[in-house]
């Protein structure tokens, strides 16, 4: 009988996969193996290797966010560029989920189950968006993109509490805020195909952000710190330049933000404007 493989080693292989096809294929294979109980979480696993860039295709070219052109949704190219930007976020989110699995050791098995599940969803979201791009005559990589999500992963590699606070609950939660407006705009243009994809993503991203909320609070309890002041401190330290309103309060509430945190987000963005 084949002995179970290490979930950490498998997560690393998914991170290292350099093409979209290889990363999605490795992700779905790993998820299936985990569901079959073939991937163990060794208690004596060595520390993770120092963080570095995950496997990436040669395209898209990564540039500063300020160097990305502004395109309206009124043209086919503009709509494709928008879909490409979301596809790039989902491609990064596959790596972010696997990095949470790989990076943070000695945690409850439920932690790993949550982020393996998130990796599966993100890979499926990427495939849906990539398919839509192809229907419009484009391919993933045809437009420039930025590396902001992974840069935050690097900044929080040393601290699972900071990672859970900032990647799911700040950067990925931004999708909860902006996607409903994009759905309305695309629906007004008659693009129900893209709308249907975004509605799936929005619904499932609530659960992903909720996983971040759950494990942020778990880390806070373990460290003996209060979640509210800790979240505010982390926002000030790491997220001053990337936190924007307005916020989708209803979706964020379903994703585990309490009233104090929602008020804090509003106050933080007001203070930043002063």
């Amino acid at each position: 009988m084949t002995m179970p493989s290490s979930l950490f080693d498998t997560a690393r292989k998914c991170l290292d996969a350099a093409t979209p096809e290889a990363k999605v294929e490795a992700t779905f294979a790993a998820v299936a193996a985990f569901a079959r109980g073939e991937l163990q979480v060794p208690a004596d696993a060595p520390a993770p290797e120092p963080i570095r860039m995950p496997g990436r295709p040669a395209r898209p070219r990564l540039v500063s966010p300020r160097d990305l052109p502004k395109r309206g949704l009124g043209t086919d190219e503009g709509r494709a560029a928008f879909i490409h930007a979301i596809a790039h976020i989902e491609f990064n989110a596959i790596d972010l989920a696997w990095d949470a699995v790989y990076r943070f050791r000695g945690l409850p098995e439920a932690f790993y189950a949550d982020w393996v599940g998130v990796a599966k969803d993100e890979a499926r979201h990427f495939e849906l968006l990539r398919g839509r791009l192809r229907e419009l005559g484009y391919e993933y990589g045809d437009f420039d993109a930025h590396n902001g999500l992974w840069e935050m992963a690097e900044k929080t590699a040393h601290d699972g509490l900071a990672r859970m606070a900032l990647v799911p609950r700040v950067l990925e939660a931004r999708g909860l805020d902006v996607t409903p407006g994009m759905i309305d705009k695309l629906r007004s243009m008659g693009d129900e195909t893209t709308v249907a994809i975004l509605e799936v993503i929005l619904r499932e991203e609530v659960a992903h952000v909720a996983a971040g909320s759950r494990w942020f609070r778990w880390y806070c309890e373990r460290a003996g710190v209060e979640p509210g002041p800790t979240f505010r401190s982390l926002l000030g330290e790491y997220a001053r330049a990337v936190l924007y309103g307005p916020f989708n309060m209803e979706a964020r509430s379903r994703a585990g933000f309490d009233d104090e945190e929602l008020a804090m987000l509003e106050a933080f963005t007001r203070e930043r404007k002063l």
Side-chain angles (χ1 to χ4, degrees), residues 9-85:
D9 293 344
T10 302
R12 187 69 203 217
K13 290 177 182 176
C14 294
L15 282 164
D16 289 343
T19 67
E21 294 80 7
K23 197 174 293 288
V24 169
E25 182 180 351
T27 293
F28 288 148
V31 168
F34 184 76
R36 293 191 300 265
E38 296 171 3
L39 300 179
Q40 63 180 351
V41 181
D44 58 349
E49 297 173 13
I51 199 163
R52 58 181 177 80
M53 278 285 283
R56 293 284 176 84
R59 299 171 66 218
R61 187 172 67 111
L62 299 179
V63 300
S64 168
R66 68 177 66 91
D67 293 332
L68 293 173
K70 303 292 184 186
R71 294 184 175 94
L73 292 176
T75 66
D76 287 345
E77 183 184 37
R79 192 155 39 111
F82 163 74
I83 294 168
H84 186 279

Side-chain angles (χ1 to χ4, degrees), residues 103-235:
R103 184 73 35 207
F104 304 113
R105 310 281 167 103
L107 299 174
E109 195 162 313
F111 175 91
Y112 302 109
D114 274 350
W115 296 108
V116 168
V118 170
K120 176 186 177 181
D121 289 348
E122 307 293 19
R124 184 164 42 80
H125 296 170
F126 173 75
E127 286 289 271
L128 289 170
L129 292 161
R130 192 185 193 194
R132 183 61 180 141
L133 269 179
R134 288 172 169 169
E135 290 172 355
L136 295 173
Y138 294 87
E139 180 55 87
Y140 177 62
D142 284 352
F143 300 92
D144 291 345
H146 69 80
N147 199 37
L149 279 171
W150 188 255
E151 287 169 358
M152 184 64 82
E154 290 181 311
K155 290 176 182 176
T156 58
H158 66 289
D159 185 357
L161 190 156
R163 172 70 65 86
M164 292 297 111
L166 297 166
V167 172
R169 305 186 87 226
V170 174
L171 296 186
E172 295 187 78
R174 182 66 180 147
L176 305 184
D177 303 327
V178 302
T179 302
M182 292 299 179
I183 287 173
D184 290 343
K185 185 171 289 189
L186 289 164
R187 178 165 281 137
S188 73
M189 298 167 59
D191 188 352
E192 290 294 337
T193 303
T194 305
V195 164
I197 294 170
L198 293 184
E199 286 179 335
V200 169
I201 292 173
L202 177 60
R203 182 170 63 250
E204 294 182 354
E205 291 294 346
V206 170
H208 300 173
V209 177
S213 296
R214 183 162 55 252
W215 291 106
F216 167 64
R217 291 196 167 85
W218 181 91
Y219 269 107
C220 286
E221 183 176 352
R222 187 176 73 164
V225 297
E226 288 296 323
T230 302
F231 187 50
R232 181 179 179 82
S233 174
L234 289 167
L235 290 177

